[in-house]
Structures are given as C-alpha cells and as structure tokens.
Amino acid sequence: MGVSGRVGWSYSDTDNDSYTDSLGTVFAATNSQLGQLSIGGKVSYYGGSYMPYIGATYKYDAVSDNVTTVAPPSPANDKDEVQLEAGVSLFGTGPLSGGISANYSVLREDYDGWGVGANIA
C-alpha cells in the first residue's frame, strides 16, 4: 500500500493585445489572473506488475477574475473544485511500462470536466 500527498500553488497572469481577426471583427485588449491553491492525496496498491490507485485534489481559486455577461444569466464564479482520479500503472518485465487514468471534476456549478490519459515509457 502507498499513500502520497501534495500541496501546490499555481499562478497565471495573461495579457492579450487588441486585434482584428480575418473577418474584420475587433477584439479589445484583455488581462486576467488566476492563482490556484491545491491540496490532494492518492492511495495506491502495489501488485507486482501493476499498481491501481485512487486520489482526490481540492482546488481553490484564491486569485481569480469574476466573469460577467451582458445578458443574464451570469456564471456562478464559484471558487472551489474537487478533482477525482483513478488509474493503474503497469510495469513490464522488460524496458516497457505505462499506465492509464481517468479524472472527473466536481463542485463547480457551471463546469463539468473529465479526462482520460495514457502513457507508455
């Protein structure tokens, strides 16, 4: 059995200049920031040639721009998210190894996110 944890901080500051696209539509300059705190953990079981695991990561948008729209409804601008993950790492007898995983994000009112990943090493 294995238990691991992590704490992290990521920050992004994005500036886009104004521009006109090929159809002649003018887009104004934009600036946005996102600072996200995350804390998570994973539980795994080593079974020789494979290691299944499950995990969860809580994410909090400590710094974020609220999104508004011209016409209602405006988005919830919620700041919390939990990302659930499950997968298996595979260990070959030769030089090959790999794995597959799936994740799903919950708690954001106006957002559903899921992903599937695989790797070969």
Side-chain angles (χ1 to χ4, degrees), residues 34-119:
L34 175 62
Q36 196 171 60
L37 175 67
S38 65
I39 184 167
K42 187 186 295 187
V43 176
S44 58
Y45 173 77
Y46 181 66
S49 62
Y50 64 94
M51 186 171 62
Y53 59 88
I54 58 171
T57 302
Y58 171 75
K59 298 178 181 182
Y60 176 72
D61 298 346
V63 177
S64 64
D65 298 330
N66 284 336
V67 177
T68 58
T69 58
V70 176
S74 286
N77 288 305
D78 44 358
K79 297 188 177 292
D80 298 293
E81 174 182 345
V82 173
Q83 187 174 55
L84 307 173
E85 181 181 16
V88 62
S89 296
L90 305 169
F91 310 106
T93 55
L96 291 177
S97 62
I100 188 166
S101 66
N103 63 61
Y104 183 68
S105 296
V106 296
L107 288 189
R108 294 207 188 258
E109 186 176 323
D110 296 322
Y111 175 80
D112 287 324
W114 60 271
V116 175
N119 66 65

